[in-house]
Amino acid sequence: MSSKMCKYPDKAFVGRSVPRLDAPVKVTGQARYAGDMKLPGMLHGKLLRSPVPHARILNVDVSKALALPGVKAVITGRDTPGIRYGNWRLVPQTQDELPLATDKVRFIGDEIAAVAALDAEIAEEAIHLIRVDYEELPAVFDVESSLAPGAPLIHDQSGLPSNISLDRKIDVGDVEAAFARADYIREDVFRPQPVSHAYLEPCACLAQADPEGRITLWTSTQTPYIVQCLLASTLGLPENHVRVIKPFVGGGFGGKMEMRPWEFCAAFLARRTGRPVRFVLTRAEELIAGRRRHGMNIRSKTGFKKDGTILARDFEVYLDGGAYNSMGPTATFLVGNFGAMLYNFPNYRYRGYHVYTNKPPAGAMRGFGAPQALFASESQMNMAAEELGLDPIDLRLRNAMKPGDEIPGVATISSCGFIESLEKVAEMSDWRNKRKNPTPGKGIGVGCYSFISGGVFNWFNTQYNFSAAEVRVYDDGTAHLLTMASDIGQGSDTVLRQILSEELGLSLDRIRVTSADTAMTPKADLGSWGSRVTLMAGNAVVQAARQIKEQLAGSVSARFNLNVIHEIAFGDNRIFSKARPDRGLSFGEAVAMTMKANRGAEITGRGYYTPRDRGLVTPAFSFGAQVAEVEVDPDTGLIRVEKMTTAHDCGTVINPMSVEGQLEGSVHMGLGYALCENFVMRDGQTLNTTFLDYKMPAAEDMPPGESFCVDTYEPDGPFGAKEAGEGLVSPTAPALADAVWHATGVRCFDLPITPEKVLRGTGRLKDPEPA
């Protein structure tokens, strides 16, 4: 994908395409993931999962499994402290999950027991020897059935009157009065589907207990601190008695940001046996029981003036949360925000409902509510433009947000390059010509997005700052950055090193990074999710570096009789006079002199970042527009994506190569979401349990593309940067849906857009006559 990025001639490291610093060890096979790790005496763990979607557990008999040679321990929920947990610690009643089920199972794949054995084959055999007696209960597999009168309560112990686990409301202005004034009202229902994260590395962990019962856990996670807190809570241990280390991670996309049962079981079994215990999930387990993107039923009603000005929106969403809350409360909160983003809505009403069903729990996934909300919102904008006789991009330009605008009841926009993105993508794609003069069988469509740069809402209820960094400098001219921010393949370690290099004037090879170890790195960081790392961890790094600079600049200025504030510069591994660059010291010499003046004390800077109040959601928003071009075979309905063109505003581009990689990955994920990915379910059972059956785009399916980064500056971001990792996944589905409509006249309200749906829409495929 070709791209055009902004250049920053006054910067040495910001704006440079730096290859990921962990790339060599990954491509040569030297990187060690959690599933690769081994310790002497290590045991292998395996989980017993429920074969039924909803049942009471009457009895669990583990005697035959315990008697199998090579089995060292078997545990059930009755052996554990039985402490419920969940990521939304701010609202205790949402913590509805147990590491191992004790009273009921609520979906096929719910964890019931765990085995630790000498090898994986023995552990697998032992699992099949455990006998569970169930009293099967009626089950519900969709939102409508779950909310029907007389539906079985999935969490009958919770005191909830129905299967709605929580709701969220936003009310701004007078929606009904605005509808009464509207010249045109459009109301539609959309049903985006659940999909898998499909990270290449299945979840894995290794736990070790020391003689005093303290735990060290190596785990494939995005959120070491969150895992530490929840693991300590469910084990009944002090937080500091649990150490969590993130090794290399083979992708996460939101699917690895919670504590999961195998992490608890590994730690519990390690304490019980006195030996290290490792769990490695299979791909089938990931697809059968893993977290997934929320399926949603979305009703959107929007009122316009004749000229296209938006007057009001009523946005109602039912989220299919599966058997447990997981990150559903956050998704319910966010999807209402995304429904009101991009455009000015003077009147807005949102009702969101998180609904339990007897299916695997849905959780966080890249975009976190935005792909679903924006598929609905952007598709409706395209349909409204057609009905109003307006060009879809002109309709957006009329209503587009600008700096200083407000998202109703949520936040105020600071930097915003949305209008520029719309104008640029129209120019790059030759939009107006191709939209007005279509080629038969070909179509062009548009979709847009806005996304957060890290969440402000403190759903985890932490008492710490949102992010922290520690920087240590040494007299050999090097620096050491310690951060809890988690590089899960997105390249954040490289970007944070670039930020530190720019601030200290040190070359990249002089900076060492230690990240994501709860015993070594600063505790105040909630991990990698919500596109938070560059802005939040980057700001903490800048603050820590500036403390270092203040100390070193004082020594150099005293040595050369310079004004500290105005005359000192850092660059080329030196600290020197701006006016007389020959008057200065190497970085190492300056550190040595400062240490000597401080009687050998180490030179350290500590930075922290918590957003200043800008609303409920985030300190900054990204924006962008994307145009899709497709060709549709009229005989087969097959959709071939010919080109994707994107213009986006991510503030200052710290690493153009990394941003381009994020865009390409987002397009790939968006293609799968739009055109082919889907769980095939029957009575709560996932049927497509391999990548042969769970269809995703391959490398050869990726279309050519072109991108452009709109030049904006975010005052709350490090060097003006903001998010570039998640927002870009959202515009692809509505852009493709619009392009397919432009080519065929078929409008899809649910995903994926399959050849069968296209043929049914064109009338070339009809349902068989009933017998």
Side-chain angles (χ1 to χ4, degrees), residues 391-393 425-446 627-631 642-645 704 706 738-739 741-743:
D391 182 279
I393 287 183
V425 81
E427 172 195 327
M428 293 166 65
S429 63
D430 192 22
W431 165 268
R432 299 190 186 279
N433 175 46
K434 292 177 180 178
R435 187 74 174 191
K436 289 180 180 178
N437 304 292
T439 301
K442 294 191 175 186
I444 186 169
V446 64
V627 166
E629 298 178 56
V630 304
E631 181 177 16
E642 294 192 322
K643 187 178 181 182
M644 302 296 295
T645 305
E706 187 178 4
D738 191 38
W741 169 84
H742 192 232

Short mmCIF file of all heavy atoms in Angstrom, two decimals, residues 391-393 425-446 627-631 642-645 704 706 738-739 741-743:
data_model
loop_
_atom_site.label_atom_id
_atom_site.label_comp_id
_atom_site.label_asym_id
_atom_site.label_seq_id
_atom_site.Cartn_x
_atom_site.Cartn_y
_atom_site.Cartn_z
N ASP A 391 -24.58 14.06 -2.90
CA ASP A 391 -23.38 13.21 -2.94
C ASP A 391 -23.04 12.80 -1.51
O ASP A 391 -23.08 13.64 -0.59
CB ASP A 391 -22.22 13.99 -3.55
CG ASP A 391 -20.96 13.15 -3.66
OD1 ASP A 391 -20.25 13.01 -2.62
OD2 ASP A 391 -20.69 12.64 -4.74
N PRO A 392 -22.70 11.53 -1.25
CA PRO A 392 -22.42 11.09 0.11
C PRO A 392 -21.30 11.87 0.80
O PRO A 392 -21.36 12.09 2.01
CB PRO A 392 -22.06 9.62 -0.06
CG PRO A 392 -22.77 9.20 -1.31
CD PRO A 392 -22.72 10.39 -2.20
N ILE A 393 -20.29 12.27 0.04
CA ILE A 393 -19.21 13.04 0.65
C ILE A 393 -19.69 14.46 0.95
O ILE A 393 -19.34 15.04 2.00
CB ILE A 393 -17.95 13.01 -0.23
CG1 ILE A 393 -17.30 11.62 -0.13
CG2 ILE A 393 -16.97 14.11 0.18
CD1 ILE A 393 -16.02 11.45 -0.90
N VAL A 425 -9.55 12.26 0.29
CA VAL A 425 -9.87 10.93 -0.22
C VAL A 425 -10.71 11.04 -1.50
O VAL A 425 -10.58 10.19 -2.41
CB VAL A 425 -10.57 10.08 0.85
CG1 VAL A 425 -12.07 10.38 0.96
CG2 VAL A 425 -10.36 8.59 0.62
N ALA A 426 -11.53 12.07 -1.60
CA ALA A 426 -12.29 12.28 -2.83
C ALA A 426 -11.36 12.60 -3.99
O ALA A 426 -11.53 12.09 -5.11
CB ALA A 426 -13.30 13.41 -2.63
N GLU A 427 -10.36 13.40 -3.72
CA GLU A 427 -9.39 13.76 -4.76
C GLU A 427 -8.56 12.55 -5.18
O GLU A 427 -8.40 12.27 -6.38
CB GLU A 427 -8.47 14.86 -4.23
CG GLU A 427 -7.31 15.20 -5.14
CD GLU A 427 -6.24 16.01 -4.41
OE1 GLU A 427 -6.59 16.82 -3.51
OE2 GLU A 427 -5.05 15.82 -4.73
N MET A 428 -8.05 11.79 -4.20
CA MET A 428 -7.17 10.67 -4.51
C MET A 428 -7.87 9.56 -5.29
O MET A 428 -7.27 8.90 -6.13
CB MET A 428 -6.59 10.10 -3.20
CG MET A 428 -5.65 11.03 -2.47
SD MET A 428 -5.35 10.47 -0.77
CE MET A 428 -4.49 8.93 -1.04
N SER A 429 -9.15 9.34 -5.00
CA SER A 429 -9.88 8.23 -5.61
C SER A 429 -10.64 8.63 -6.88
O SER A 429 -11.26 7.76 -7.50
CB SER A 429 -10.87 7.66 -4.60
OG SER A 429 -11.85 8.64 -4.25
N ASP A 430 -10.58 9.92 -7.26
CA ASP A 430 -11.40 10.41 -8.38
C ASP A 430 -12.87 10.12 -8.11
O ASP A 430 -13.62 9.67 -8.97
CB ASP A 430 -10.93 9.78 -9.70
CG ASP A 430 -11.54 10.47 -10.92
OD1 ASP A 430 -11.96 11.64 -10.81
OD2 ASP A 430 -11.61 9.81 -11.98
N TRP A 431 -13.28 10.37 -6.87
CA TRP A 431 -14.60 9.99 -6.38
C TRP A 431 -15.74 10.54 -7.23
O TRP A 431 -16.64 9.81 -7.65
CB TRP A 431 -14.75 10.46 -4.93
CG TRP A 431 -16.16 10.43 -4.43
CD1 TRP A 431 -17.07 11.47 -4.47
CD2 TRP A 431 -16.85 9.33 -3.85
NE1 TRP A 431 -18.27 11.08 -3.94
CE2 TRP A 431 -18.16 9.76 -3.55
CE3 TRP A 431 -16.49 8.03 -3.54
CZ2 TRP A 431 -19.10 8.94 -2.96
CZ3 TRP A 431 -17.43 7.20 -2.94
CH2 TRP A 431 -18.72 7.64 -2.66
N ARG A 432 -15.71 11.82 -7.46
CA ARG A 432 -16.88 12.44 -8.09
C ARG A 432 -17.10 11.93 -9.51
O ARG A 432 -18.25 11.72 -9.93
CB ARG A 432 -16.75 13.96 -8.04
CG ARG A 432 -16.67 14.48 -6.59
CD ARG A 432 -16.78 15.97 -6.48
NE ARG A 432 -16.55 16.38 -5.09
CZ ARG A 432 -17.46 16.33 -4.13
NH1 ARG A 432 -18.67 15.87 -4.39
NH2 ARG A 432 -17.17 16.71 -2.89
N ASN A 433 -16.05 11.71 -10.22
CA ASN A 433 -16.19 11.17 -11.57
C ASN A 433 -16.71 9.73 -11.54
O ASN A 433 -17.65 9.38 -12.25
CB ASN A 433 -14.84 11.23 -12.29
CG ASN A 433 -14.90 10.57 -13.65
OD1 ASN A 433 -15.82 10.79 -14.44
ND2 ASN A 433 -13.90 9.74 -13.94
N LYS A 434 -16.11 8.89 -10.70
CA LYS A 434 -16.49 7.49 -10.68
C LYS A 434 -17.87 7.28 -10.06
O LYS A 434 -18.59 6.35 -10.47
CB LYS A 434 -15.44 6.68 -9.89
CG LYS A 434 -14.09 6.61 -10.59
CD LYS A 434 -13.07 5.86 -9.74
CE LYS A 434 -11.72 5.79 -10.43
NZ LYS A 434 -10.69 5.12 -9.60
N ARG A 435 -18.26 8.12 -9.13
CA ARG A 435 -19.58 7.96 -8.52
C ARG A 435 -20.68 8.36 -9.51
O ARG A 435 -21.73 7.70 -9.58
CB ARG A 435 -19.67 8.82 -7.26
CG ARG A 435 -20.93 8.61 -6.44
CD ARG A 435 -20.91 7.32 -5.67
NE ARG A 435 -22.08 7.20 -4.78
CZ ARG A 435 -22.22 6.28 -3.84
NH1 ARG A 435 -21.28 5.37 -3.65
NH2 ARG A 435 -23.29 6.25 -3.08
N LYS A 436 -20.44 9.41 -10.29
CA LYS A 436 -21.47 9.88 -11.21
C LYS A 436 -21.50 9.08 -12.50
O LYS A 436 -22.53 9.02 -13.18
CB LYS A 436 -21.23 11.36 -11.54
CG LYS A 436 -21.51 12.31 -10.39
CD LYS A 436 -21.24 13.75 -10.79
CE LYS A 436 -21.52 14.71 -9.65
NZ LYS A 436 -21.20 16.12 -10.04
N ASN A 437 -20.37 8.47 -12.85
CA ASN A 437 -20.27 7.77 -14.13
C ASN A 437 -19.80 6.34 -13.91
O ASN A 437 -18.66 5.97 -14.26
CB ASN A 437 -19.30 8.50 -15.06
CG ASN A 437 -19.69 9.95 -15.27
OD1 ASN A 437 -20.70 10.24 -15.89
ND2 ASN A 437 -18.87 10.87 -14.73
N PRO A 438 -20.65 5.51 -13.29
CA PRO A 438 -20.19 4.16 -12.93
C PRO A 438 -20.01 3.26 -14.16
O PRO A 438 -20.70 3.40 -15.17
CB PRO A 438 -21.33 3.65 -12.05
CG PRO A 438 -22.54 4.41 -12.50
CD PRO A 438 -22.03 5.76 -12.88
N THR A 439 -19.06 2.35 -14.03
CA THR A 439 -18.87 1.29 -15.02
C THR A 439 -19.74 0.12 -14.63
O THR A 439 -19.78 -0.26 -13.45
CB THR A 439 -17.39 0.86 -15.05
OG1 THR A 439 -16.59 2.00 -15.39
CG2 THR A 439 -17.16 -0.25 -16.07
N PRO A 440 -20.47 -0.48 -15.56
CA PRO A 440 -21.33 -1.62 -15.21
C PRO A 440 -20.56 -2.70 -14.44
O PRO A 440 -19.46 -3.10 -14.84
CB PRO A 440 -21.81 -2.13 -16.56
CG PRO A 440 -21.77 -0.92 -17.45
CD PRO A 440 -20.58 -0.14 -16.99
N GLY A 441 -21.16 -3.15 -13.34
CA GLY A 441 -20.54 -4.20 -12.52
C GLY A 441 -19.51 -3.69 -11.55
O GLY A 441 -18.98 -4.47 -10.75
N LYS A 442 -19.21 -2.40 -11.61
CA LYS A 442 -18.23 -1.82 -10.70
C LYS A 442 -18.90 -0.76 -9.83
O LYS A 442 -19.88 -0.13 -10.24
CB LYS A 442 -17.06 -1.22 -11.46
CG LYS A 442 -16.22 -2.25 -12.21
CD LYS A 442 -14.92 -1.65 -12.71
CE LYS A 442 -14.05 -2.73 -13.35
NZ LYS A 442 -12.71 -2.22 -13.72
N GLY A 443 -18.35 -0.60 -8.62
CA GLY A 443 -18.93 0.38 -7.71
C GLY A 443 -17.87 1.03 -6.84
O GLY A 443 -16.78 0.47 -6.64
N ILE A 444 -18.19 2.20 -6.35
CA ILE A 444 -17.30 2.94 -5.45
C ILE A 444 -18.12 3.40 -4.26
O ILE A 444 -19.27 3.85 -4.42
CB ILE A 444 -16.62 4.11 -6.19
CG1 ILE A 444 -15.57 4.80 -5.30
CG2 ILE A 444 -17.64 5.11 -6.70
CD1 ILE A 444 -14.70 5.79 -6.08
N GLY A 445 -17.60 3.25 -3.06
CA GLY A 445 -18.33 3.60 -1.86
C GLY A 445 -17.43 4.24 -0.83
O GLY A 445 -16.20 4.13 -0.90
N VAL A 446 -18.03 4.89 0.16
CA VAL A 446 -17.27 5.63 1.17
C VAL A 446 -17.73 5.24 2.57
O VAL A 446 -18.90 4.93 2.80
CB VAL A 446 -17.41 7.15 0.96
CG1 VAL A 446 -18.85 7.61 1.16
CG2 VAL A 446 -16.46 7.93 1.86
N VAL A 627 -12.36 5.15 0.87
CA VAL A 627 -13.12 4.84 -0.33
C VAL A 627 -12.75 3.45 -0.80
O VAL A 627 -11.56 3.10 -0.90
CB VAL A 627 -12.86 5.88 -1.43
CG1 VAL A 627 -13.38 5.39 -2.79
CG2 VAL A 627 -13.51 7.21 -1.07
N ALA A 628 -13.77 2.64 -1.06
CA ALA A 628 -13.58 1.28 -1.57
C ALA A 628 -14.08 1.20 -3.00
O ALA A 628 -15.13 1.77 -3.34
CB ALA A 628 -14.34 0.28 -0.70
N GLU A 629 -13.34 0.48 -3.83
CA GLU A 629 -13.75 0.23 -5.20
C GLU A 629 -13.83 -1.27 -5.42
O GLU A 629 -12.90 -2.01 -5.08
CB GLU A 629 -12.76 0.86 -6.18
CG GLU A 629 -12.68 2.39 -6.04
CD GLU A 629 -11.67 3.02 -6.97
OE1 GLU A 629 -11.76 2.80 -8.19
OE2 GLU A 629 -10.77 3.73 -6.46
N VAL A 630 -14.96 -1.73 -5.97
CA VAL A 630 -15.19 -3.16 -6.13
C VAL A 630 -15.68 -3.47 -7.54
O VAL A 630 -16.20 -2.60 -8.25
CB VAL A 630 -16.24 -3.69 -5.11
CG1 VAL A 630 -15.83 -3.38 -3.69
CG2 VAL A 630 -17.63 -3.13 -5.42
N GLU A 631 -15.53 -4.73 -7.89
CA GLU A 631 -16.17 -5.30 -9.08
C GLU A 631 -16.94 -6.52 -8.63
O GLU A 631 -16.41 -7.36 -7.90
CB GLU A 631 -15.14 -5.68 -10.14
CG GLU A 631 -15.78 -6.24 -11.41
CD GLU A 631 -14.76 -6.54 -12.50
OE1 GLU A 631 -13.55 -6.60 -12.18
OE2 GLU A 631 -15.18 -6.71 -13.66
N GLU A 642 -11.06 -3.92 -5.66
CA GLU A 642 -10.04 -3.46 -6.60
C GLU A 642 -9.05 -2.48 -5.98
O GLU A 642 -7.88 -2.47 -6.33
CB GLU A 642 -10.70 -2.80 -7.82
CG GLU A 642 -11.50 -3.79 -8.66
CD GLU A 642 -11.90 -3.19 -9.99
OE1 GLU A 642 -12.23 -1.98 -10.03
OE2 GLU A 642 -11.87 -3.92 -11.00
N LYS A 643 -9.54 -1.65 -5.04
CA LYS A 643 -8.64 -0.66 -4.43
C LYS A 643 -9.27 -0.09 -3.18
O LYS A 643 -10.49 0.05 -3.10
CB LYS A 643 -8.34 0.47 -5.43
CG LYS A 643 -7.28 1.46 -4.93
CD LYS A 643 -6.97 2.54 -5.96
CE LYS A 643 -5.89 3.49 -5.45
NZ LYS A 643 -5.59 4.58 -6.42
N MET A 644 -8.43 0.23 -2.20
CA MET A 644 -8.85 0.94 -1.00
C MET A 644 -8.03 2.22 -0.90
O MET A 644 -6.79 2.17 -0.98
CB MET A 644 -8.65 0.09 0.26
CG MET A 644 -9.38 -1.24 0.26
SD MET A 644 -11.18 -1.11 0.25
CE MET A 644 -11.47 -0.32 1.83
N THR A 645 -8.70 3.34 -0.74
CA THR A 645 -8.02 4.63 -0.62
C THR A 645 -8.41 5.26 0.71
O THR A 645 -9.60 5.34 1.04
CB THR A 645 -8.43 5.56 -1.78
OG1 THR A 645 -8.18 4.91 -3.02
CG2 THR A 645 -7.65 6.86 -1.73
N PRO A 704 -4.84 -3.51 -3.83
CA PRO A 704 -3.94 -2.35 -3.83
C PRO A 704 -4.56 -1.23 -3.01
O PRO A 704 -5.78 -1.16 -2.84
CB PRO A 704 -3.85 -1.97 -5.31
CG PRO A 704 -4.36 -3.15 -6.07
CD PRO A 704 -5.33 -3.86 -5.16
N GLU A 706 -3.92 3.06 -1.36
CA GLU A 706 -3.19 4.32 -1.28
C GLU A 706 -3.68 5.06 -0.06
O GLU A 706 -4.88 5.03 0.25
CB GLU A 706 -3.43 5.15 -2.54
CG GLU A 706 -2.59 6.40 -2.64
CD GLU A 706 -2.82 7.16 -3.93
OE1 GLU A 706 -3.69 6.76 -4.72
OE2 GLU A 706 -2.14 8.19 -4.14
N ASP A 738 -21.35 0.13 0.62
CA ASP A 738 -21.80 1.18 -0.28
C ASP A 738 -21.33 0.91 -1.71
O ASP A 738 -22.07 1.13 -2.68
CB ASP A 738 -21.28 2.53 0.22
CG ASP A 738 -21.90 3.72 -0.49
OD1 ASP A 738 -23.12 3.66 -0.78
OD2 ASP A 738 -21.18 4.69 -0.76
N ALA A 739 -20.10 0.41 -1.84
CA ALA A 739 -19.58 0.11 -3.18
C ALA A 739 -20.35 -1.04 -3.82
O ALA A 739 -20.63 -1.01 -5.03
CB ALA A 739 -18.09 -0.23 -3.08
N TRP A 741 -23.48 -1.79 -3.22
CA TRP A 741 -24.76 -1.20 -3.63
C TRP A 741 -24.60 -0.42 -4.94
O TRP A 741 -25.44 -0.52 -5.86
CB TRP A 741 -25.29 -0.28 -2.54
CG TRP A 741 -26.46 0.53 -3.03
CD1 TRP A 741 -27.77 0.14 -3.07
CD2 TRP A 741 -26.41 1.84 -3.58
NE1 TRP A 741 -28.53 1.14 -3.63
CE2 TRP A 741 -27.73 2.19 -3.95
CE3 TRP A 741 -25.37 2.76 -3.82
CZ2 TRP A 741 -28.03 3.41 -4.53
CZ3 TRP A 741 -25.66 3.98 -4.40
CH2 TRP A 741 -26.98 4.30 -4.74
N HIS A 742 -23.52 0.36 -5.04
CA HIS A 742 -23.29 1.17 -6.23
C HIS A 742 -23.13 0.30 -7.47
O HIS A 742 -23.55 0.68 -8.58
CB HIS A 742 -22.06 2.04 -6.02
CG HIS A 742 -21.88 3.12 -7.04
ND1 HIS A 742 -20.70 3.30 -7.73
CD2 HIS A 742 -22.73 4.09 -7.49
CE1 HIS A 742 -20.83 4.33 -8.54
NE2 HIS A 742 -22.04 4.84 -8.42
N ALA A 743 -22.56 -0.91 -7.28
CA ALA A 743 -22.34 -1.81 -8.41
C ALA A 743 -23.56 -2.64 -8.75
O ALA A 743 -23.76 -3.00 -9.92
CB ALA A 743 -21.16 -2.74 -8.09
#
